[in-house]
Amino acid sequence: MRVPVLFRLLRAYWPYLLLAVGAALLPALAQALIPSWLVRPLFDEVLAQGRFGELPGLLGVGLGLFSVLAVGGYLQEACVGYLSVRLPKDLRERLLAHLLRVDLARLEASPAALSGRILADLRELESFIFFGLGTVLIQGLTLLALLAQMVLAYGELTLYLLGCLPVLGLLLGWVGRQVTAQSERTQQAAERLAGGMAEGFGRLELIRALGLEGFARSRFARHSQRHFALGLRRVLFGSLYLPLSQLATGAILVLLLFLGVGQVEAGKLSLGGLTAYLALLALTLTPLQTLSRGWMLLAQAEGAAGRVMELLRLPAAPATGTLRPQQLEGRLELRQVRFAYAGEPVLQALDLALEPGTLTALVGPSGSGKSTVLRLLLGLYRPQEGEVRLDGRALHDYAPAFLQAQVTWVPQEPLLFGGTVRENLQALAPGASGAGMEAALRQVRLLEELPHGLDTPLGDEGTGLSVGQRQRLALAAALLRGARVLLLDEPTSALDPAGEARVMAALEAARPGRTVLVVAHRLSTVQAADRIVVLEGGRVVEQGRHAELLAHGGLYARLWRQGGGV
């Protein structure tokens, strides 16, 4: 029999589960003993025979049983509550650690959809553990204890009850499978909804400026309606649990009541015994009904656990080497590289060489493969054919930490954090001294623009700086890391001419002795490049200096005439 995915996730926490089971046994046993130790003596001995002197002792027994019920219930809730916050915490950290080393080519979801999916699934798991797992444990053990007591004391009547329970189990099992299936579909729709929300809420200014409000609303409404319809189906199936269990348990109760009265009439059972048996039956109703609700939560959580495991099963990126040379010239090459996303060709037999000490510009229409080249040079992806080489060695022969320090990416929106300039530089270039930080900031002409120097505070994601200042801060971090290769992605596309001039001046200051690649749409920024490589359809169609390419009259010249970029 297949072990539910959720139980496989919980297997590592068996000590806490064992404690929870032990704690749940106390209230389960206490409930099972109430009819025999309290109800039956009360009717058969105190009330029927008038032995009222035994009442205080009997009430003391009852108080003790209820005390055990309360203490055990608290301990069980505490154990389960701890698990409900510990498991999501561990999974969050485990997922991040795994996704940071996963093969990016196998990661199909967008960042917005992925984060929304993970948060929703972990909330589902947390909800089940806190509300569902405790219910399943305590009510399941209580039901077993009650059934054991009923079998021992009232065997004939209980056989009829046990014969009816499989029918109820089959009925609720069918509903559970429907809820799991609907939960899967609803979560897939939630991923699409998260992507739609990112499209709409993340680009409010652009949507309004272009008059696309109606289009955005209708597009988002389709995702929202699909999510609503699937969620409603899940709710409707889930809502069958309680009424079906109530109907079945009601029918069972009527049957057993009829049989019990017959046994009293035949002299096989005392009035107190029948009352105790009915009390046991009444006590089984709550476990049966709450277990049905717990199984519904389990069905939903099983779908969430399956999606979490799906992410954790994604293969890690191929292993890299351990090479850490003392000296690095910084010559990068792509040799006959072919690359495709999901079977869609992007680069086709591409050859490209970046010489040490030179600035190469990579330009071309959108979709020509510029960003893919950048990611291959960074080692984030591996080509399906061909090879990426650094100083004549395959890129994956180098140790990852060495490669990350020597080949540095300065994206259009650099990775910055809330805090001060000093804290950001310490994160991006661990071990850098204060004097070294100031020297790097001075080299990119940024230090004089920071009102409090290294202690200048930044907003979230560095929003306290302008776009150009963020670019120069990322460039300063690259210098502090001692990078021999700088890869810049659209460094000036969002800047005005003054900001562009400052960034290009900073780049020129950082350039000596380094290999620099600039991916650009704005062609005015690459006029001074040593070599301009023009991509189209994943191939190099032209290369040369600015004046040569203009004179040639090819694609570069057309892009230049169109306004300096595409």
Side-chain angles (χ1 to χ4, degrees), residues 33-120:
L33 292 173
I34 286 173
S36 297
W37 288 18
L38 184 62
V39 175
R40 188 190 55 76
L42 179 65
F43 277 84
D44 281 353
E45 297 169 15
V46 175
L47 296 178
Q49 300 180 27
R51 294 154 57 179
F52 293 102
E54 297 180 8
L55 184 60
L58 200 59
L59 294 179
V61 170
L63 184 60
L65 289 174
F66 282 110
S67 298
V68 170
L69 193 66
V71 172
Y74 170 76
L75 292 175
Q76 181 266 335
E77 287 280 350
C79 292
V80 169
Y82 174 80
L83 267 181
S84 74
V85 292
R86 176 65 186 270
L87 178 66
K89 168 194 172 292
D90 290 349
L91 284 178
R92 282 193 300 268
E93 295 171 3
R94 187 178 166 191
L95 280 166
L96 179 61
H98 182 70
L99 291 175
L100 284 174
R101 63 175 189 273
V102 80
D103 185 354
L104 295 176
R106 302 289 296 274
L107 198 59
E108 298 178 357
S110 69
L114 189 61
S115 60
R117 163 183 166 176
I118 290 172
L119 288 174

Side-chain angles (χ1 to χ4, degrees), residues 77-362:
E77 287 280 350
C79 292
V80 169
Y82 174 80
L83 267 181
S84 74
V85 292
R86 176 65 186 270
L87 178 66
K89 168 194 172 292
D90 290 349
L91 284 178
R92 282 193 300 268
E93 295 171 3
R94 187 178 166 191
L95 280 166
L96 179 61
H98 182 70
L99 291 175
L100 284 174
R101 63 175 189 273
V102 80
D103 185 354
L104 295 176
R106 302 289 296 274
L107 198 59
E108 298 178 357
S110 69
L114 189 61
S115 60
R117 163 183 166 176
I118 290 172
L119 288 174
D121 286 338
L122 292 183
R123 277 196 301 269
E124 197 88 66
L125 291 175
E126 183 176 350
S127 176
F128 167 73
I129 293 172
F130 190 73
F131 297 107
L133 183 60
T135 296
V136 170
L137 276 179
I138 199 164
Q139 300 297 346
L141 289 172
T142 299
L143 184 60
L144 288 175
L146 290 169
L147 289 175
Q149 180 74 354
M150 293 167 75
V151 168
L152 291 173
Y154 310 97
E156 184 180 342
L157 288 175
T158 307
L159 284 176
Y160 293 108
L161 173 63
L162 294 177
C164 297
L165 288 181
V167 178
L168 178 61
L170 289 173
L171 202 58
L172 297 182
W174 175 79
V175 177
R177 289 191 294 275
Q178 298 304 314
V179 170
T180 301
Q182 295 305 321
S183 179
E184 287 282 353
R185 297 188 187 103
T186 302
Q187 188 55 41
Q188 291 168 5
E191 290 178 32
R192 291 190 290 271
L193 184 63
M197 290 179 70
E199 280 183 354
F201 297 157
R203 298 182 173 184
L204 291 175
E205 293 178 349
L206 188 58
I207 288 171
R208 292 182 64 178
L210 297 176
L212 296 174
E213 295 93 338
F215 173 79
R217 279 196 302 270
S218 62
R219 182 177 171 83
F220 180 72
R222 287 197 300 272
H223 293 310
S224 183
Q225 177 61 30
R226 174 68 174 163
H227 184 264
F228 164 77
L230 290 170
L232 182 60
R233 284 174 63 87
R234 187 178 79 167
V235 167
L236 292 176
F237 274 110
S239 299
L240 288 173
Y241 269 106
L242 190 56
L244 283 177
S245 63
Q246 287 174 332
L247 183 63
T249 51
I252 293 170
L253 181 60
V254 168
L255 173 64
L256 293 175
L257 184 59
F258 172 77
L259 295 171
V261 170
Q263 288 204 354
V264 171
E265 185 180 9
K268 295 179 180 180
L269 195 63
S270 68
L271 183 60
L274 177 60
T275 307
Y277 187 70
L278 292 177
L280 283 169
L281 276 178
L283 288 173
T284 61
L285 291 180
T286 299
L288 282 171
Q289 292 176 359
T290 52
L291 274 174
S292 69
R293 180 64 62 182
W295 286 120
M296 184 194 72
L297 291 173
L298 173 61
Q300 295 174 3
E302 178 66 8
R307 289 185 294 274
V308 168
M309 287 300 295
E310 184 182 303
L311 290 176
L312 290 173
R313 281 194 294 263
L314 285 173
T320 54
T322 57
L323 194 62
R324 294 173 176 269
Q326 294 295 319
Q327 297 290 330
L328 192 69
E329 292 183 16
R331 188 175 197 275
L332 270 173
E333 301 171 84
L334 277 76
R335 294 184 174 181
Q336 289 294 295
V337 165
R338 296 180 184 273
F339 188 82
Y341 290 108
E344 190 68 29
V346 179
L347 301 179
Q348 305 182 47
L350 181 66
D351 286 308
L352 178 66
L354 307 179
E355 299 296 336
T358 63
L359 190 156
T360 303
L362 194 62

Side-chain angles (χ1 to χ4, degrees), residues 410-414 416 466-476 488-493 495 503:
V410 181
Q412 184 177 358
E413 274 297 330
L416 298 175
S466 69
V467 176
Q469 288 173 327
R470 293 200 291 272
Q471 289 280 352
R472 285 182 283 155
L473 180 57
L475 199 53
L488 290 86
D489 188 8
E490 310 284 0
T492 63
S493 63
L495 302 179
V503 169

Side-chain angles (χ1 to χ4, degrees), residues 430-499:
S433 66
M437 293 179 194
E438 289 184 347
L441 291 170
R442 198 174 288 113
Q443 189 174 352
V444 299
R445 296 164 173 78
L446 182 59
L447 185 61
E448 58 273 16
E449 297 177 23
L450 302 174
H452 303 291
L454 291 174
D455 296 315
T456 300
L458 306 180
D460 291 340
E461 299 181 1
T463 52
L465 299 179
S466 69
V467 176
Q469 288 173 327
R470 293 200 291 272
Q471 289 280 352
R472 285 182 283 155
L473 180 57
L475 199 53
L479 299 181
L480 282 170
R481 290 159 70 97
R484 300 292 297 173
V485 180
L486 299 177
L487 306 177
L488 290 86
D489 188 8
E490 310 284 0
T492 63
S493 63
L495 302 179
D496 58 22

Side-chain angles (χ1 to χ4, degrees), residues 513-533:
R514 292 184 170 85
T515 306
V516 182
L517 175 70
V518 177
V519 173
H521 275 170
R522 186 183 288 182
L523 301 188
S524 59
T525 64
V526 301
Q527 295 180 64
D530 298 310
R531 184 168 56 114
I532 299 170
V533 177

